Short mmCIF file of all heavy atoms in Angstrom, two decimals:
data_model
loop_
_atom_site.label_atom_id
_atom_site.label_comp_id
_atom_site.label_asym_id
_atom_site.label_seq_id
_atom_site.Cartn_x
_atom_site.Cartn_y
_atom_site.Cartn_z
N THR A 64 4.46 1.20 3.06
CA THR A 64 5.04 0.01 2.36
C THR A 64 4.21 -1.18 2.76
O THR A 64 3.45 -1.21 3.81
CB THR A 64 6.47 -0.22 2.76
OG1 THR A 64 6.46 -0.62 4.17
CG2 THR A 64 7.24 1.07 2.59
N PRO A 65 4.19 -2.26 1.98
CA PRO A 65 3.45 -3.49 2.34
C PRO A 65 3.76 -4.03 3.68
O PRO A 65 2.89 -4.42 4.37
CB PRO A 65 3.81 -4.40 1.25
CG PRO A 65 4.11 -3.58 0.02
CD PRO A 65 4.79 -2.35 0.61
N ASP A 66 5.04 -4.02 3.99
CA ASP A 66 5.44 -4.52 5.39
C ASP A 66 4.85 -3.73 6.52
O ASP A 66 4.39 -4.26 7.54
CB ASP A 66 6.98 -4.66 5.51
CG ASP A 66 7.56 -5.78 4.62
OD1 ASP A 66 6.84 -6.62 4.20
OD2 ASP A 66 8.82 -5.69 4.43
N ILE A 67 4.99 -2.49 6.41
CA ILE A 67 4.43 -1.55 7.53
C ILE A 67 2.99 -1.73 7.56
O ILE A 67 2.37 -1.79 8.75
CB ILE A 67 4.99 -0.13 7.25
CG1 ILE A 67 6.52 -0.07 7.49
CG2 ILE A 67 4.26 0.73 8.31
CD1 ILE A 67 7.03 1.31 7.24
N VAL A 68 2.24 -1.64 6.44
CA VAL A 68 0.78 -1.75 6.52
C VAL A 68 0.29 -3.04 7.05
O VAL A 68 -0.61 -3.13 7.87
CB VAL A 68 0.31 -1.45 5.17
CG1 VAL A 68 -1.23 -1.71 5.15
CG2 VAL A 68 0.53 -0.02 4.71
N ARG A 69 1.03 -4.06 6.60
CA ARG A 69 0.57 -5.36 7.19
C ARG A 69 0.90 -5.54 8.62
O ARG A 69 0.01 -6.18 9.38
CB ARG A 69 1.43 -6.55 6.40
CG ARG A 69 0.93 -7.92 6.80
CD ARG A 69 1.64 -8.94 5.91
NE ARG A 69 3.06 -8.95 6.08
CZ ARG A 69 3.83 -8.51 5.06
NH1 ARG A 69 3.36 -8.14 3.93
NH2 ARG A 69 5.24 -8.58 5.21
N ALA A 70 2.02 -4.89 9.10
CA ALA A 70 2.30 -5.10 10.51
C ALA A 70 1.30 -4.33 11.34
O ALA A 70 0.91 -4.72 12.44
CB ALA A 70 3.76 -4.58 10.78
N ALA A 71 0.97 -3.15 10.89
CA ALA A 71 0.17 -2.13 11.72
C ALA A 71 -1.28 -2.47 11.61
O ALA A 71 -2.01 -2.39 12.63
CB ALA A 71 0.41 -0.71 11.22
N PHE A 72 -1.76 -2.86 10.46
CA PHE A 72 -3.19 -3.04 10.21
C PHE A 72 -3.63 -4.50 9.95
O PHE A 72 -4.84 -4.74 10.00
CB PHE A 72 -3.71 -2.21 8.94
CG PHE A 72 -3.50 -0.80 9.13
CD1 PHE A 72 -2.32 -0.13 8.73
CD2 PHE A 72 -4.56 -0.02 9.67
CE1 PHE A 72 -2.24 1.23 8.81
CE2 PHE A 72 -4.45 1.36 9.76
CZ PHE A 72 -3.23 2.01 9.39
N GLY A 73 -2.75 -5.42 9.85
CA GLY A 73 -3.05 -6.82 9.68
C GLY A 73 -3.68 -7.08 8.34
O GLY A 73 -4.43 -7.98 8.23
N LEU A 74 -3.21 -6.28 7.41
CA LEU A 74 -3.83 -6.43 5.93
C LEU A 74 -2.70 -6.49 4.99
O LEU A 74 -1.83 -5.65 4.96
CB LEU A 74 -4.77 -5.17 5.69
CG LEU A 74 -5.37 -5.20 4.37
CD1 LEU A 74 -6.47 -6.33 4.28
CD2 LEU A 74 -6.14 -3.87 4.18
N SER A 75 -2.84 -7.42 4.07
CA SER A 75 -1.79 -7.44 3.02
C SER A 75 -2.28 -6.60 1.79
O SER A 75 -3.41 -6.50 1.54
CB SER A 75 -1.76 -8.86 2.46
OG SER A 75 -1.16 -9.84 3.38
N VAL A 76 -1.33 -5.77 1.41
CA VAL A 76 -1.62 -4.73 0.35
C VAL A 76 -0.64 -4.72 -0.72
O VAL A 76 0.53 -5.26 -0.61
CB VAL A 76 -1.76 -3.36 1.00
CG1 VAL A 76 -2.73 -3.21 2.00
CG2 VAL A 76 -0.30 -2.86 1.51
N VAL A 77 -0.88 -4.23 -1.79
CA VAL A 77 -0.05 -3.99 -2.87
C VAL A 77 0.15 -2.41 -2.96
O VAL A 77 -0.85 -1.68 -2.98
CB VAL A 77 -0.58 -4.46 -4.27
CG1 VAL A 77 0.32 -4.05 -5.40
CG2 VAL A 77 -0.75 -5.99 -4.18
N VAL A 78 1.32 -1.98 -3.07
CA VAL A 78 1.61 -0.45 -3.11
C VAL A 78 2.21 -0.19 -4.46
O VAL A 78 3.19 -0.78 -4.92
CB VAL A 78 2.54 -0.06 -1.98
CG1 VAL A 78 2.83 1.49 -2.10
CG2 VAL A 78 2.00 -0.33 -0.62
N THR A 79 1.58 0.77 -5.18
CA THR A 79 2.08 1.09 -6.46
C THR A 79 2.03 2.59 -6.64
O THR A 79 1.62 3.36 -5.68
CB THR A 79 1.16 0.56 -7.64
OG1 THR A 79 1.72 0.76 -8.88
CG2 THR A 79 -0.23 1.06 -7.54
N SER A 80 2.47 3.22 -7.66
CA SER A 80 2.54 4.55 -7.86
C SER A 80 1.17 5.02 -8.24
O SER A 80 0.47 4.51 -9.19
CB SER A 80 3.45 5.02 -8.98
OG SER A 80 3.58 6.35 -9.19
N ASN A 81 0.70 6.15 -7.65
CA ASN A 81 -0.63 6.77 -8.01
C ASN A 81 -0.53 7.44 -9.36
O ASN A 81 0.45 8.24 -9.59
CB ASN A 81 -0.92 7.84 -7.00
CG ASN A 81 -2.34 8.34 -7.09
OD1 ASN A 81 -2.89 8.54 -8.29
ND2 ASN A 81 -3.09 8.51 -5.96
N PRO A 82 -1.35 7.05 -10.29
CA PRO A 82 -1.12 7.65 -11.70
C PRO A 82 -1.46 9.09 -11.72
O PRO A 82 -1.13 9.84 -12.73
CB PRO A 82 -2.22 6.81 -12.62
CG PRO A 82 -3.19 6.30 -11.54
CD PRO A 82 -2.42 6.09 -10.23
N CYS A 83 -1.97 9.61 -10.72
CA CYS A 83 -2.38 11.07 -10.70
C CYS A 83 -1.49 11.93 -9.90
O CYS A 83 -1.72 13.21 -9.71
CB CYS A 83 -3.91 11.28 -10.18
SG CYS A 83 -5.10 10.50 -11.18
N GLY A 84 -0.41 11.46 -9.38
CA GLY A 84 0.44 12.25 -8.47
C GLY A 84 1.68 11.41 -7.99
O GLY A 84 1.71 10.14 -8.09
N ASP A 85 2.64 12.11 -7.48
CA ASP A 85 3.87 11.51 -7.05
C ASP A 85 3.64 10.94 -5.56
O ASP A 85 4.11 11.60 -4.61
CB ASP A 85 5.10 12.41 -7.07
CG ASP A 85 6.35 11.75 -6.74
OD1 ASP A 85 6.42 10.50 -6.62
OD2 ASP A 85 7.28 12.57 -6.31
N CYS A 86 2.83 9.92 -5.35
CA CYS A 86 2.50 9.41 -4.14
C CYS A 86 2.14 7.98 -4.24
O CYS A 86 1.72 7.54 -5.27
CB CYS A 86 1.48 10.23 -3.41
SG CYS A 86 -0.11 10.31 -4.24
N PRO A 87 2.26 7.23 -3.25
CA PRO A 87 1.89 5.83 -3.27
C PRO A 87 0.49 5.67 -3.30
O PRO A 87 -0.42 6.39 -2.71
CB PRO A 87 2.58 5.24 -2.12
CG PRO A 87 2.67 6.29 -1.11
CD PRO A 87 2.88 7.51 -1.86
N LEU A 88 0.11 4.51 -3.91
CA LEU A 88 -1.37 4.11 -4.02
C LEU A 88 -1.48 2.69 -3.35
O LEU A 88 -0.81 1.83 -3.84
CB LEU A 88 -1.86 4.03 -5.38
CG LEU A 88 -3.35 3.53 -5.70
CD1 LEU A 88 -4.33 4.60 -5.13
CD2 LEU A 88 -3.68 3.35 -7.16
N VAL A 89 -2.26 2.65 -2.24
CA VAL A 89 -2.37 1.38 -1.51
C VAL A 89 -3.61 0.64 -1.92
O VAL A 89 -4.76 1.20 -1.78
CB VAL A 89 -2.25 1.70 -0.04
CG1 VAL A 89 -2.30 0.44 0.81
CG2 VAL A 89 -1.10 2.57 0.43
N VAL A 90 -3.37 -0.62 -2.31
CA VAL A 90 -4.59 -1.40 -2.68
C VAL A 90 -4.57 -2.71 -1.88
O VAL A 90 -3.54 -3.43 -1.81
CB VAL A 90 -4.61 -1.75 -4.23
CG1 VAL A 90 -5.73 -2.45 -4.66
CG2 VAL A 90 -4.39 -0.45 -5.04
N PRO A 91 -5.76 -3.11 -1.26
CA PRO A 91 -5.71 -4.40 -0.61
C PRO A 91 -5.52 -5.51 -1.51
O PRO A 91 -5.91 -5.57 -2.61
CB PRO A 91 -7.23 -4.39 -0.01
CG PRO A 91 -7.64 -3.01 0.05
CD PRO A 91 -6.91 -2.37 -1.09
N ASP A 92 -4.71 -6.46 -1.10
CA ASP A 92 -4.33 -7.59 -1.94
C ASP A 92 -5.46 -8.71 -1.77
O ASP A 92 -5.50 -9.37 -0.71
CB ASP A 92 -2.99 -8.15 -1.49
CG ASP A 92 -2.53 -9.27 -2.35
OD1 ASP A 92 -3.29 -9.79 -3.28
OD2 ASP A 92 -1.33 -9.76 -2.30
#
């Protein structure tokens, strides 16, 4: 999730659905 990724890695991200599967796609903001 954006909150967990930001807290652990210090990076703001956008999380969306991967168009190729039932899993999240993490993209740096």
Side-chain angles (χ1 to χ4, degrees):
T64 68
D66 286 345
I67 291 175
V68 173
R69 184 173 60 251
F72 294 92
L74 180 67
S75 293
V76 298
V77 175
V78 179
T79 186
S80 179
N81 191 318
C83 298
D85 184 19
C86 58
L88 179 67
V89 182
V90 182
D92 187 351

